Amino acid sequence: MSGKVTVSLIKADVGSYPGHARCHPDLLEIAEKELKSYRERGVIRDFRVFNAGDDLELILTHDKGVDSQEIHGVAWEVFEKATERAKELKLYGAGQDLLSDAFSGNVRGMGPGVAEMEFTERGAEPLIAFMMDKTEPGAFNLPIFRMFADPFNTAGLIIDPSLHPGFVFEVWDILEDRRVFMKAPEEMYDLLALIGAKSRFVIKRVFPKEGGKLPADEPVAVVSTEKLYQIAGEYVGKDDPVALVRAQSGLPAVGEVLEPFAFPHLVSGWMRGSHNGPIMPVSLKHSQCTRFDGPPRVIALGFQIADGTLVGPLDLFDDPAFDSARQKAQEIAEYMRRHGPFEPHRLPMEDMEYTTLPGVMEKLEERFERI
Ligand code: F6R
Ligand code: MG
Ligand code: MG
């Protein structure tokens, strides 16, 4: 295979055990078996199957570009087959993220989350897949910003002449369904003004600048931005976002891509999708949400792409170098938990709109007196 490759990371929670803790091994096995047959038939070039907490994660490589009906159809079928087994096992939330009974050509807006990008494969192409559980897409704003725009994180922005010009950020306003492209470092303060409001403005993609080493129209990072509650019209769980980030040779080095996760920043999600808490970087074997259905977790799997095939993964957070981030995350988790139902542990009212608060307000409406 020469030229362009498409990497699609597509995920859904189609059932877990116990409760929302972890994806069942049978579902991973079913996905593995199904995708193997698609690979044999040449529909996809390669694949890997993982779980991030209760989410079933499919990484597919192919030559069909982003938003391919065929590729999304493959993922949908895998999720449907896994759902059948989840129902037999009476797993929790069996089929929960398949919001429609029939596939309509694209999984976007139907429940699953998608991060995919098509790009020209370089001589050596390192790629890192990030998968979060129990949080929302805006949880990637801080780390993606740091990787591509913060010189205190990414030494290459200062040291490597090919990174020096900076990057272009595609930011989505997920409430108004619109987007804006912003340049860093030139527009860094405006960019931060938006993406600091992480429940509304989310980084969707990052592009190199014109005239650099890499084509300016091919993304170097992409984040899933589906908002389940907007799709479903009612709360059906957090979005549990995923992201793909390319690295090295004119891009942040692998270590610069991982460095933001040495700080377990606060994200929203956790118990009942309604609490702020730290995001804890963990290895695959620790990808299961326990304490208070959390704390929110992120895994990072590293690959080299070779002619569209996946070499790897390396389980990048399976490393004592991240022990102190995990320790810090636990201290923060403990500190936040002590607030119980009080903000800022519990999310602010605007973000509780899709849960019980409107109901409580309605019930008390008549009893409120003017003061
Ligand atoms: C958070 C999450 C869980 C559930 C919680 C209650 O994203 O999935 O914390 O919200 O376990 O689940 P139900 O309402 O299904 O009993
Ligand atoms: Mg679940
Ligand atoms: Mg999940």
Side-chain angles (χ1 to χ4, degrees):
M1 197 165 104
S2 66
K4 291 195 178 189
V5 58
T6 310
V7 183
S8 304
L9 172 48
I10 308 182
K11 45 106 2 196
D13 176 357
V14 291
S16 47
Y17 82 111
H20 291 286
R22 192 183 184 111
C23 181
H24 192 278
D26 281 14
L27 310 193
L28 296 166
E29 208 174 289
I30 286 165
E32 191 82 34
K33 187 170 140 245
E34 286 297 312
L35 291 174
K36 211 165 174 185
S37 92
Y38 279 109
R39 184 173 60 189
E40 272 157 22
R41 281 178 275 156
V43 177
I44 54 172
R45 176 92 176 131
D46 205 358
F47 74 91
R48 293 288 187 279
V49 173
F50 304 101
N51 78 291
D54 59 2
D55 299 307
L56 177 56
E57 312 269 355
L58 317 176
I59 303 181
L60 313 173
T61 59
H62 53 94
D63 57 8
K64 304 196 165 56
V66 301
D67 284 331
S68 153
Q69 180 161 345
E70 190 179 6
I71 296 300
H72 284 219
V74 167
W76 189 264
E77 196 187 305
V78 170
F79 293 139
E80 277 189 330
K81 294 235 159 94
T83 296
E84 282 169 29
R85 180 68 184 138
K87 286 184 173 159
E88 282 166 15
L89 293 170
K90 291 183 74 179
L91 295 183
Y92 202 72
Q96 126 181 342
D97 283 355
L98 303 188
L99 301 178
S100 167
D101 293 333
F103 178 65
S104 68
N106 192 307
V107 296
R108 276 195 290 124
M110 298 183 75
V114 195
E116 52 182 355
M117 55 183 171
E118 185 184 30
F119 54 88
T120 309
E121 191 182 301
R122 295 173 290 169
E125 187 64 63
L127 177 92
I128 301 176
F130 289 101
M131 304 161 212
M132 292 179 170
D133 191 28
K134 304 294 189 271
T135 185
E136 61 176 6
F140 273 112
N141 282 6
L142 185 150
I144 298 276
F145 171 82
R146 284 213 165 136
M147 292 170 205
F148 290 95
D150 178 2
F152 283 77
N153 179 85
T154 297
L157 291 168
I158 308 288
I159 294 171
D160 180 350
S162 59
L163 271 87
H164 208 75
F167 291 91
V168 179
F169 288 75
E170 177 183 336
V171 177
W172 282 20
D173 174 348
I174 50 182
L175 288 189
E176 298 278 341
D177 287 329
R178 52 187 189 162
R179 67 178 178 181
V180 59
F181 290 85
M182 300 180 83
K183 289 181 179 159
E186 304 92 302
E187 299 179 285
M188 183 186 285
Y189 299 157
D190 289 341
L191 173 65
L192 285 168
L194 295 191
I195 64 172
K198 63 182 172 45
S199 63
R200 172 158 179 188
F201 297 100
V202 296
I203 298 171
K204 177 66 190 177
R205 292 183 193 89
V206 180
F207 294 92
K209 288 225 177 113
E210 259 345 304
K213 219 168 164 178
L214 291 142
D217 58 348
E218 294 183 3
V220 292
V222 62
V223 180
S224 66
T225 46
E226 284 64 34
K227 286 287 269 184
L228 279 180
Y229 64 68
Q230 278 162 3
I231 297 163
E234 61 181 48
Y235 183 81
V236 289
K238 276 285 172 201
D239 316 305
D240 302 338
V242 291
L244 295 169
V245 181
R246 297 164 65 198
Q248 306 284 156
S249 308
L251 296 174
V254 167
E256 290 166 337
V257 171
L258 298 176
E259 179 63 10
F261 296 95
F263 170 63
H265 64 290
L266 290 174
V267 300
S268 53
W270 206 350
M271 175 57 78
R272 299 178 186 276
S274 304
H275 294 81
N276 284 311
I279 184 119
M280 184 160 79
V282 294
S283 65
L284 272 173
K285 72 173 179 290
H286 291 134
S287 183
Q288 55 203 21
C289 287
T290 51
R291 183 175 183 190
F292 201 54
D293 285 3
R297 276 151 217 245
V298 57
I299 56 174
L301 302 175
F303 301 91
Q304 288 289 136
I305 314 268
D307 299 321
T309 63
L310 292 159
V311 178
L314 186 64
D315 187 352
L316 292 159
F317 292 141
D318 185 10
D319 185 323
F322 285 92
D323 281 351
S324 70
R326 290 187 271 268
Q327 180 59 36
K328 172 76 75 198
Q330 295 191 47
E331 287 159 19
I332 298 167
E334 180 61 24
Y335 174 80
M336 296 300 281
R337 277 305 300 129
R338 297 281 72 82
H339 293 79
F342 285 81
E343 298 175 9
H345 182 28
R346 195 183 72 176
L347 296 189
M349 278 195 79
E350 313 87 84
D351 293 332
M352 300 289 291
E353 245 173 79
Y354 295 88
T355 58
T356 49
L357 247 143
V360 173
M361 290 304 286
E362 204 178 314
K363 195 172 68 189
L364 294 177
E365 196 50 46
E366 287 181 352
R367 289 168 49 197
F368 271 108
E369 298 169 14
R370 282 272 143 232
I371 44 174

